[in-house]
Structure formats: C-alpha cells, structure tokens
Amino acid sequence: MRIEEKVKRESRRDPEFARWVRSVAGGEDIRRCIQCGACSSACQLSSYMDYTPRRIINLAREGFKKEVLGSFTIWLCASCYACRAQCPKEIKITDIMYALKRRAIREGTYPARFPTAVMAKEFANMIFSRGRVTENYLVTMLFLKTNWFKFLGMSRLGLGLLRAGRMSFFPDSVKNRSEIKTILNAVDGK
Amino acid sequence: MNLNDKISDKAPARIGFYICHCGTNIAGALDVPAVRDYVAKMPGVIVARDYKYMCSDPGQELLGKDITEHKLNRIVVASCSPLLHENTFRKALEKAGLNPFYFQMVNIREHVAWVHTDKPGATRKAKDLCSAAVRRVKFHKFLEKKKVPYHPDVLVVGAGIAGIQAALTMANAGKKVYLVEREPSIGGHMAMFDKTFPTLDCAACILTPKMSAVKSHPNITLWTYSEVAKTEGSAGNFKVTVKRKPRYVKEELCVGCNDCIDNCVFKEPKFADEFNMGLGKRKPVYMPFPQATPHVALIDAETCLHFKTGKCKQSCAEACDRKAIDFNQKEEIKEIQVGTLLLATGFEVFDAAKDPYYGYGVHPGVYTSLEIERLVNASGPTNGEIVLRDGRKPKSVGIIHCVGSRDAKTNKWCSRVCCMYSLKLAHLIKEHTGAEVYNFYIDMRTPGKMYEEFYDRLLEEGVHFVRGRVSEVSDFAMSPEEEGKLILRAEDTLAGFVRRVPVDMVVLSTGLTPKKDSQTVARLFNIGRSPEGFFQERHPKLAPVNTFTDGIFIAGCCQGPKDIPDTVAQAGAAAAEALALIDKAYIELEPDTAFVVEDTCSGCKSCVPLCPYTAVSFDEVKKKAVINETLCKGCGTCVAACPSGSIKQNLFEDEQIFSEIEGVLTND
Ligand SMILES: Cc1cc2nc3c(=O)[nH]c(=O)nc-3n(C[C@H](O)[C@H](O)[C@H](O)COP(=O)(O)OP(=O)(O)OC[C@H]3O[C@@H](n4cnc5c(N)ncnc54)[C@H](O)[C@@H]3O)c2cc1C
Ligand code: SF4
Ligand code: SF4
Ligand code: SF4
Ligand code: SF4
C-alpha cells in the first residue's frame, strides 16, 4: 500500500466547479443542504457507494471536483428519488446526480470499465448518431468496454434472443437523423 | 380548647401524622403503610394516615378535617422537601384554625426515596426520620410571623440591556429606581454591536432610545462610573453604599459639545481606546462613544498630562465655556435605602489569549468577535471598514466557533449566542468585503425564533461551513498558496478528510464567561453562584430570576449566557417579581429567629461581632445583647457561641433538637 497525503489543501477546491453545480437544473439550492444525512439513509444503494449522497452534496458544493466526478456514487444512483422525497431542505439530489454523471462523461473522469458509466455513454452516443438504440450493439459495446469474458458467457442467451426475433443484427435508425440531432442539440443548449 | 395562644403550648400533644405517596415517587421506593403503622403506635399520635398526594386540595382538606374532628394540635407531614410544600401545609393548618408552626415536615422524597435503592433500608430510614419529627413537634411553640414595611425604592446594578430594561419597567410602574453602572456610559455589550441577529437591525437604533429614556426618566437616578461598595440589611430594607469615581467633568454642567476634547494639548488621539477594544485611539479627555449616555466627557487620570506631571496648561478646561471641568473632583460616597436589589452585571468574553493554539496576540491577523463587532460598526475605529491591522482588506476570513466554550480545558458550557453571532459576522464580513468566509463549527446551534431561517440564509449566501474544531492557526506555509497566510487546520468531519484553509483574517468566536469579579460581587450581595461562576438562580426552571436571598433578583447574562431577546424577557420578569414584592408593601419575616434570654445574659459581647448579618448589638444601659429580629436570618451562629446558653432560637430550641436526635437514634 502506498502512503500518500490525504489532507486537502484549498487548491484542491475548484470554485468554478462549485459554481457550475449551482448553475445546473436542480443544483440551484445545493447550498441549503444542512448535511443531515437523510438522503444517505433513504438511499438503498448507499451501502455500496464510496461517498454517501450527503457527502457528494457536500463535496460538490465545496468544489471538490476530482472526488465527486471520480466517485462510484453517481453511477450507482438508480434515480429512484427516495432521497429527494425525504430531504428536509428539498434539495434536488437526483437531478444533481444526473448533472454530475453528464459532466463525468464529458470529462471522461468516470471510473474505467464501470458498466453503468459505459452503458450511459454508449446509449447516448447511439441516440446522438442514429436516433435509436439497438440492444445488440449496446450490449456488445458494454461488454467489450467493460468485461468481454462475460460477453462470451452471454453468447448463448444472445443467440437465443436473435433466433426468437427479440434482437436484431441490423442497426435501428430513425428516418431523419439530422432532425434528432437538432432536437438534442437544442436540449443541450448548443 | 383555644389552640392559638401560648397556653396551648403546654396542652398535651394530639398529633396527626400524614405520609404521602407522591404518586410512585415515594410509594415506589419504600413501604409506606409500614411507616404509617409504625408512627401510629407512637405516644401522642391520634391519627396516622397515608395519602396519594398530600399537597393536593383533597389532601389538605383531609388534614383540616382531622384537626377539627380529632382536636389535633400538632401535625407532621412526611413527603417532599419543605422548600416545595412547607408553606402549603402551614397554610392548611392556619385554615383549620391551628397555629402554622405547630407543624413539622419530613423530607422522605429527596432524602430517602430518591437516593436509596434498598427498599427495607429506605423504609427504616423513613421510620427514623418520622419518629424524630413526631418527638420534636411536641415541643413546638406558638409563633407569629412579623410584618415589616417594605421600602419601595429599587437599586439596579449594571446598565447593559438587562439593567436598562428592568429599570425602565419599574420606573414606568412609578417606582423610584437607582441605576448604578461601573463604566462611564450605560449600554453594556449591546452598545458595541453594529447589527443584531437574526433581524440584522441596527443595535444603536434600538438601544439608544432606551438609553435616552433612562437618562431622562424622572423616576430613575442614574449613577455611571460608580460601583456598589457595601450592602447591609435584608429584603425590604437594604442600606447600600455606592462609590462614584471622579470623572473630572461636572455631569450637571457638561453638554457633551466635545470642545474640551478638540482642545486637549494632545492634538492627536494617542491612547488605546477601551470601548473599541484598543483598535482605536482616544485622548486623555474623551467621550466613550458617540451615543454615550450620559453624554458627558471624562478625563482619564492615568494618561492626562495634568495628573501625571502637573504641568499641563489645561487647554481643555479653558475651552469649556460652561466651566464643567473640575480637576479637584473627588470620589463621592452615596448612601441609599432601598427595598429591592436587581443585579444585571452581565458577562465577560473568554480571554482568547488563553487558548494557545489560535495565536491571539501572536498573529496580528487573529481577532476576537468583539473586535470585529467594533470594526464593522460605522462609529468604530475604521468607520465600519473591515481592514487588517496592516490596512489590507481581507480576501478570505476564517471564523472559529466555540473558542472558550464546550471545552473541558477552558469552559464546559455552550455559550448559546456565538453560533448566531458568528453567522451574523459572516454575513457582515461578506457584505463589507466580499471575502470568502469559512465558518468552522462543531454543531450549529440556532434555537430561537427566526434563527434557523437565518442559518438557511447564510447557507444560501455561500459561506463555507466546515464542521470541525480547528486544531491550530499557524503561519507555517506548506505550499505556495499558503504563503503569507494564516492556515487553519481542521477535520471537515462531513467531507471526511482533514483540510488546510489559508486565510487573511481569523475571527475567534469567544464564549461568554462570568465576570472576573463575580465572586466578589456575589459576596457583596450575599447571593450564590453556580459551579461555573454565573449567579445562581433560586430554581433553574421555576424561579430563574430569584436568588436564595429574598429581595435580590438577577437578570441577563450574569445568570448565564443568553441572547438579547432572552435577556430582555428575563429583565422584565425580574422587574415583575420585584414589583410584586414592593406592592405588597410589607414583608413577613420567618419566626425562626434568635432571641436573648436577658436574665442569664452576662453581657460578655461574644455574640456581637460573630453575626454575619450584623443583627446583634449591645444595649449599654442594660448591659445585655440585643437581637434585631428584622435582620436576624436564623443562622444560629450566636446561639452556638453564647457561653452561658442565653441565646435561643425559635424552632431550634434545645429540647426540640434533642428530642429529634433521640427520635433518630431510638428506633428498634
Ligand atoms: C460578540 C458578541 C455578539 C453578540 N451579538 C448579539 C446579537 O447580535 N443579538 C443578540 O441577541 N445577542 C448578541 N450577543 C449577546 C448579547 O451581548 C447579550 O445577550 C447581552 O449583551 C446581555 O446583556 P446584559 O445586560 O445581561 O449584559 P452586559 O451587556 O454585559 O451588561 C452588563 C453591564 O453591567 C455593568 N457592570 C458589570 N459589573 C458591574 C458592577 N459590579 N457594578 C456596576 N456595573 C457593573 C457592565 O459595565 C455592563 O454595562 C452577542 C454577544 C457577543 C459577545
Ligand atoms: S437530505 Fe438534503 S439536507 Fe440532508 S444531507 Fe441530503 S441533501 Fe443535504
Ligand atoms: S435517487 Fe439516487 S442517490 Fe437518491 S436515493 Fe435514489 S439511488 Fe440514492
Ligand atoms: S489637562 Fe491637559 S492633558 Fe489633561 S485632558 Fe486637559 S488638556 Fe488634555
Ligand atoms: S453557541 Fe455555537 S459557537 Fe457558541 S459555544 Fe455553543 S455551539 Fe459553540
């Protein structure tokens, strides 16, 4: 085990990141959080998270960008809104989780080979380029980018699905791809 | 049989005994029927009963009915502490036509039920104590309470917001109030603040109208720069000596025009200014602050050239066309007679230099909260600008909560107001400087109307809240960003790691402590102090403004840390309690006082100097000691001291005490 300094200096804080979190939809009230931990205890997945939702909120509003964007927490979040329902200060925790996921993908800081992150990214890519998701391709990409041994193990199930017509070899696509792109760009404010 | 004259003292005792269950308080811890039956067999006991709540109306009625029906002439109740219900039962006796002092109470709750876990043992102890009371009560005598007139005037000591509020309330009710303040101006700590939480209204705007009202009130005699030197007497009749320090300016002539100050031979202010915590300077002749009340200048003899060398040309006196300056002023002694005393002497902030880790007095960038209050104040030494001692504007500020609070090494208590004032200062600092502000706290304590909402507001304003006690403030830089800064190291217990935060300015939120002289002052007024040194209230919940000395009340932070709303409420409560006493117009004296048996008094005078209440004097004509019943508190010192046994004390006569001891010792 390597021993490294764990104390956080102020230079580790990125005020710009903190400002960005406040600017995203749902992030505007993040400062109101009183760190009560209701979100963490409501969250059924917090048992597996490296930082609890409460800590993510704390770190994000202080601008500890590296810790937040590198955490598993945002990828484990199942978007169940249990935290949001219980938060005494009505912080939109789930929305913030979404924003953090997007930012992590954009900056490529998500944990390598972590399935949720990879899947989210491939899913989005496919929608952007073709307007539709083709499960076959999505699953293939997911396994190739995370754990291709598993892919081999799943091949029988894949073949079965193909035979039953439940999955197609041919990539799905919408008719007018450029329209979808325009819509998605508009949503992203481009 | 007439039960209510001295002859009935001699009538054979017919005792009624009552033991109370106090719900399960007593009945759960000892065998109540066994005690009842034990006492029932004692000689002289006519009735012995147990009852669920003796203090309830039916309980008292039971007692009264028995007195009439069974012609009882002595009563013993075994229940709780006499402090709680002795009066209740004495009144019940009186109602049934029996002298209230033919009564003895046994405390089997606090002294037995609540302190023992062994039931048979507790029962035995209860039997012993009851048997003692039954034996003693036979010797009780007919006694009467004396009524003495209650002097209507009041003395209020300390003129912070507590003293001001109390004085105004009583003066408005038509009472004559003396208000004595140690400093040259009234106002206390509140006068130093710029804004007050949680509303952020300007402290001066809400305080100065009250200060002026004090000054102009026809019923208030205001003595500033004064202190109480001596008190004698007791509730209703105190004699108080007040010392008035010379201010070398005649209060009745000075109009506060500041001409003397402008013309002092010291052209520039040169001496540390107390009101601004030494952050500003003043001349030897000065006005403590612009709204000082009374608005009268004063000369500080320690720094004035005239007093130091005798060689000043006294340009101040020359400049004063009202001839108010008087270098010959001497200390004045005033003696007043009052019935009630109200202490509102306030608090002191914790001396930050006592905390070795925070570098107060070592690093110039470290300030106390009170210093910041002066810096943000528009009438403060920087006209409201928050600047460091070197003139720079701070870009980052760390506020450390709980300095000298919640710490076994200094003071254990929570000072209650510092979380809130730290939030207030964070807001003001951000508003005045735009600096990044970090509040380091252990718990955020904001209980109060609109207080949590104020915390919400500060959260939204973007103050960094780091939950963790700072371990040290140092100037030892470990990276370029820390160069030239003060570095605060604390575990951010919510983030889960230790942080180093470099700042330009550190604010220590010092706690509230008892005043250094609180012991001397408590002795002066003969009141108690709680372990940490604040004045002791009679009961923490039910008598928070009373003291154990009748006629003396406390209000404000001298009783314990509190904010302005609570201080004002407490001052009002203390004033109301005082008014209740005053308007009764007389005071009843407990009859358990000492008296001299003149026949045997040899006139040795041993007792005279011993009485702590100066109640014993000597009659030079009769050559006998004389005890003033009004002054006697029944402490028993003289009784024990008299070599010829010529002083006795009501309710504590020899046969009463000896029979009581016998009762405890002769149990089977
Ligand atoms: C930095 C700071 C900021 C604060 N900010 C706020 C705020 O924003 N809002 C709020 O609600 N509360 C605030 N508080 C609390 C507030 O200061 C107190 O609640 C209030 O001052 C208590 O008033 P007091 O009259 O009991 O005591 P004090 O203000 O201490 O007044 C006591 C007076 O008695 C005089 N005195 C003392 N001993 C003697 C003696 N032996 N003889 C004659 N006179 C004597 C003193 O000179 C003084 O004038 C703050 C406290 C601090 C330390
Ligand atoms: S529940 Fe809300 S207030 Fe509590 S820690 Fe979570 S985000 Fe903060
Ligand atoms: S929305 Fe996400 S963070 Fe919130 S409770 Fe559900 S899984 Fe946990
Ligand atoms: S006597 Fe001299 S030094 Fe003293 S206050 Fe007057 S002018 Fe100033
Ligand atoms: S009020 Fe806050 S700062 Fe003051 S002692 Fe209590 S917890 Fe500490």
Side-chain angles (χ1 to χ4, degrees):
Chain A
M1 192 178 70
R2 237 182 79 228
I3 293 182
E4 49 185 33
E5 196 195 56
K6 292 287 188 196
V7 66
K8 307 265 155 122
R9 300 175 193 289
E10 273 304 272
S11 48
R12 289 284 295 274
R13 260 185 355 97
D14 179 350
E16 192 44 55
F17 178 70
R19 220 166 295 144
W20 169 81
V21 176
R22 288 201 302 280
S23 74
V24 301
E28 50 291 301
D29 293 333
I30 193 169
R31 279 171 163 175
R32 278 208 226 140
C33 166
I34 50 169
Q35 291 287 297
C36 68
C39 48
S40 308
S41 63
C43 176
Q44 294 305 314
L45 283 150
S46 62
S47 352
Y48 305 100
M49 291 170 170
D50 49 354
Y51 293 112
T52 58
R54 171 191 64 72
R55 277 175 82 190
I56 288 292
I57 298 293
N58 186 343
L59 295 167
R61 72 165 167 193
E62 278 294 273
F64 286 103
K65 178 176 165 188
K66 204 175 141 243
E67 287 73 8
V68 171
L69 295 187
S71 81
F72 289 111
T73 302
I74 52 180
W75 302 111
L76 285 177
C77 168
S79 314
C80 68
Y81 286 89
C83 51
R84 167 72 182 82
Q86 292 223 356
C87 173
K89 294 288 171 181
E90 316 222 289
I91 314 284
K92 302 192 180 88
I93 306 151
T94 320
D95 297 7
I96 294 171
M97 292 288 183
Y98 267 120
L100 294 173
K101 286 183 238 200
R102 280 201 300 277
R103 177 91 187 234
I105 291 179
R106 205 176 313 143
E107 304 213 351
T109 53
Y110 53 88
R113 303 190 164 276
F114 197 73
T116 338
V118 173
M119 173 140 120
K121 190 181 165 199
E122 295 307 322
F123 188 100
N125 278 348
M126 235 170 254
I127 295 282
F128 260 88
S129 59
R130 319 191 72 90
R132 281 241 173 98
V133 175
T134 313
E135 284 96 348
N136 191 12
Y137 280 69
L138 184 63
V139 171
T140 311
M141 291 316 280
L142 177 64
F143 283 128
L144 284 180
K145 291 200 170 171
T146 54
N147 185 350
W148 57 271
F149 276 115
K150 219 168 178 182
F151 184 54
L152 294 178
M154 300 284 277
S155 55
R156 270 190 57 197
L157 172 66
L159 285 173
L161 285 170
L162 273 176
R163 226 176 284 135
R166 283 281 169 220
M167 218 157 65
S168 147
F169 249 129
F170 308 102
D172 264 350
S173 175
V174 290
K175 286 208 188 88
N176 198 340
R177 292 190 200 173
S178 68
E179 272 177 13
I180 276 286
K181 245 187 206 138
T182 317
I183 293 173
L184 289 173
N185 280 341
V187 171
D188 244 6
K190 278 185 199 157
Chain B
M1 183 177 54
N2 182 359
L3 293 170
N4 278 333
D5 58 35
K6 298 201 179 202
I7 299 153
S8 59
D9 287 351
K10 303 271 186 300
R14 295 178 63 79
I15 304 171
F17 173 78
Y18 301 85
I19 178 164
C20 179
H21 293 220
C22 193
T24 52
N25 271 309
I26 294 171
L30 53 96
D31 186 349
V32 168
V35 179
R36 178 200 60 204
D37 295 344
Y38 174 78
V39 174
K41 293 195 199 90
M42 289 180 66
V45 176
I46 307 294
V47 258
R49 297 185 199 279
D50 62 309
Y51 194 71
K52 196 144 195 183
Y53 292 107
M54 275 309 292
C55 60
S56 67
D57 280 350
Q60 295 177 49
E61 278 157 22
L62 175 73
L63 216 157
K65 216 168 115 235
D66 282 353
I67 291 176
T68 327
E69 273 177 22
H70 299 278
K71 300 200 164 32
L72 302 178
N73 60 9
R74 296 288 189 283
I75 300 293
V76 173
V77 175
S79 56
C80 52
S81 161
L83 275 180
L84 290 170
H85 278 306
E86 189 170 53
N87 246 338
T88 314
F89 297 127
R90 280 184 176 169
K91 284 221 175 83
L93 263 70
E94 220 169 357
K95 213 171 145 197
L98 195 59
N99 184 284
F101 298 97
Y102 285 144
F103 171 72
Q104 181 68 10
M105 193 161 171
V106 195
N107 184 355
I108 54 164
R109 194 178 70 178
E110 283 85 340
H111 287 179
V112 183
W114 284 355
V115 287
H116 296 295
T117 45
D118 155 39
K119 200 164 176 175
T123 308
R124 236 193 85 128
K125 181 170 169 187
K127 284 181 185 171
D128 289 352
L129 294 175
C130 293
S131 117
V134 168
R135 282 168 196 253
R136 142 195 257 283
V137 83
K138 290 182 188 166
F139 296 100
H140 276 210
K141 290 186 179 153
F142 177 94
L143 292 171
E144 263 173 337
K145 282 191 176 180
K146 289 233 156 38
K147 282 184 186 177
V148 289
Y150 198 99
H151 199 292
D153 295 356
V154 187
L155 167 67
V156 176
V157 184
I161 183 60
I164 290 175
Q165 180 73 19
L168 283 174
T169 308
M170 292 185 287
N172 286 341
K175 307 300 169 212
K176 189 167 164 30
V177 179
Y178 297 94
L179 180 56
V180 171
E181 165 60 50
R182 172 182 287 169
E183 300 297 327
S185 167
I186 62 173
H189 283 94
M190 191 176 167
M192 303 170 80
F193 310 153
D194 181 39
K195 302 274 169 61
T196 52
F197 63 72
T199 41
L200 294 179
D201 38 5
C202 138
C205 310
I206 54 177
L207 179 63
T208 44
K210 284 192 182 281
M211 288 166 60
S212 321
V214 162
K215 180 75 195 112
S216 60
H217 206 295
N219 288 340
I220 298 181
T221 306
L222 174 61
W223 288 332
T224 51
Y225 220 34
S226 306
E227 268 179 66
V228 172
K230 201 169 146 199
T231 53
E232 293 164 89
S234 58
N237 298 284
F238 290 106
K239 194 168 100 195
V240 184
T241 314
V242 180
K243 251 196 237 165
R244 306 207 59 198
K245 286 173 266 183
R247 53 199 297 155
Y248 307 111
V249 176
K250 288 185 183 145
E251 221 175 298
E252 54 307 342
L253 293 181
C254 174
V255 287
C257 66
N258 289 355
D259 281 355
C260 52
I261 304 171
D262 296 341
N263 286 287
C264 172
V265 293
F266 287 94
K267 286 283 161 271
E268 290 303 322
K270 209 183 141 197
F271 307 100
D273 158 3
E274 297 85 354
F275 190 76
N276 285 320
M277 320 290 300
L279 293 170
K281 300 234 178 318
R282 60 157 173 81
K283 296 183 181 181
V285 54
Y286 67 104
M287 186 71 78
F289 56 101
Q291 300 89 349
T293 308
H295 203 60
V296 172
L298 73 155
I299 295 175
D300 166 27
E302 298 286 308
T303 49
C304 165
L305 211 56
H306 166 75
F307 286 103
K308 286 178 70 183
T309 66
K311 285 196 190 116
C312 184
K313 61 179 180 180
Q314 302 182 355
S315 48
C316 56
E318 244 167 66
C320 179
D321 51 17
R322 298 184 55 88
K323 302 283 162 258
I325 293 191
D326 173 9
F327 292 104
N328 296 319
Q329 224 176 42
K330 293 272 161 328
E331 183 177 87
E332 243 187 297
I333 303 286
K334 301 266 187 189
E335 271 197 5
I336 52 172
Q337 202 76 41
V338 294
T340 310
L341 300 174
L342 198 152
L343 305 186
T345 50
F347 66 97
E348 220 161 78
V349 287
F350 171 74
D351 176 6
K354 280 195 195 148
D355 195 313
Y357 302 106
Y358 293 160
Y360 180 73
V362 179
H363 305 302
V366 181
Y367 291 79
T368 66
S369 48
L370 263 187
E371 289 171 338
I372 302 298
E373 291 283 357
R374 292 314 297 153
L375 284 184
V376 290
N377 196 302
S379 65
T382 53
N383 300 319
E385 251 198 278
I386 302 182
V387 287
L388 293 156
R389 286 181 227 265
D390 59 12
R392 276 183 306 136
K393 226 185 190 175
K395 292 203 186 67
S396 48
V397 179
I399 301 180
I400 306 180
H401 289 217
C402 302
V403 179
S405 300
R406 306 182 69 191
D407 178 2
K409 289 188 293 304
T410 54
N411 300 320
K412 283 190 184 162
W413 59 90
C414 164
S415 296
R416 259 183 75 181
V417 297
C418 15
C419 273
M420 280 302 288
Y421 81 54
S422 300
L423 293 175
K424 170 183 77 175
L425 293 178
H427 167 86
L428 294 173
I429 291 170
K430 248 182 134 52
E431 183 182 73
H432 284 234
T433 62
E436 287 290 310
V437 179
Y438 300 80
N439 277 48
F440 295 86
Y441 67 102
I442 308 175
D443 294 294
M444 190 57 73
R445 298 194 165 169
T446 54
K449 202 168 179 175
M450 296 303 289
Y451 285 16
E452 181 69 9
E453 292 89 329
F454 189 66
Y455 175 34
D456 278 347
R457 171 174 173 182
L458 266 290
L459 279 163
E460 290 193 43
E461 283 177 9
V463 169
H464 303 274
F465 287 98
V466 182
R467 182 176 173 276
R469 193 178 173 104
V470 171
S471 64
E472 61 166 0
V473 174
S474 79
D475 56 359
F476 184 74
M478 287 175 70
S479 64
E481 61 161 344
E482 293 179 353
E483 221 59 71
K485 303 266 183 180
L486 292 168
I487 301 106
L488 306 181
R489 200 184 138 100
E491 175 172 7
D492 188 332
T493 55
L494 292 170
F497 43 71
V498 174
R499 286 171 70 174
R500 285 174 67 87
V501 180
V503 295
D504 296 319
M505 178 187 245
V506 173
V507 182
L508 305 181
S509 293
T510 44
L512 275 55
T513 69
K515 286 189 83 77
K516 271 185 210 76
D517 63 355
S518 73
Q519 184 167 12
T520 324
V521 174
R523 283 217 185 108
L524 182 66
F525 294 100
N526 190 29
I527 60 167
R529 293 190 313 153
S530 23
E532 72 307 292
F534 291 109
F535 294 157
Q536 174 94 58
E537 62 283 344
R538 190 176 217 139
H539 189 282
K541 290 151 220 164
L542 302 179
V545 298
N546 306 67
T547 64
F548 283 103
T549 309
D550 290 332
I552 304 189
F553 300 93
I554 47 177
C557 289
C558 62
Q559 182 262 347
K562 56 181 68 65
D563 53 20
I564 296 167
D566 283 4
T567 298
V568 171
Q570 207 183 27
E577 291 275 354
L579 289 172
L581 272 188
I582 299 167
D583 285 350
K584 205 169 156 196
Y586 63 85
I587 185 158
E588 275 181 328
L589 300 177
E590 283 299 313
D592 57 352
T593 47
F595 57 93
V596 178
V597 183
E598 278 194 4
D599 292 351
T600 51
C601 169
S602 66
C604 73
K605 297 189 192 175
S606 316
C607 52
V608 179
L610 290 176
C611 176
Y613 306 97
T614 56
V616 191
S617 55
F618 195 71
D619 184 332
E620 291 296 348
V621 182
K622 287 206 229 161
K623 303 278 176 218
K624 305 279 177 196
V626 186
I627 293 174
N628 180 340
E629 270 178 322
T630 326
L631 295 180
C632 172
K633 290 263 169 204
C635 72
T637 309
C638 58
V639 183
C642 177
S644 60
S646 302
I647 306 187
K648 293 189 173 183
Q649 187 179 345
N650 290 329
L651 288 175
F652 293 94
E653 292 192 42
D654 285 354
E655 67 250 84
Q656 294 167 345
I657 295 177
F658 290 135
S659 57
E660 191 168 13
I661 296 173
E662 263 170 38
V664 175
L665 298 179
T666 52
N667 191 354
D668 39 57

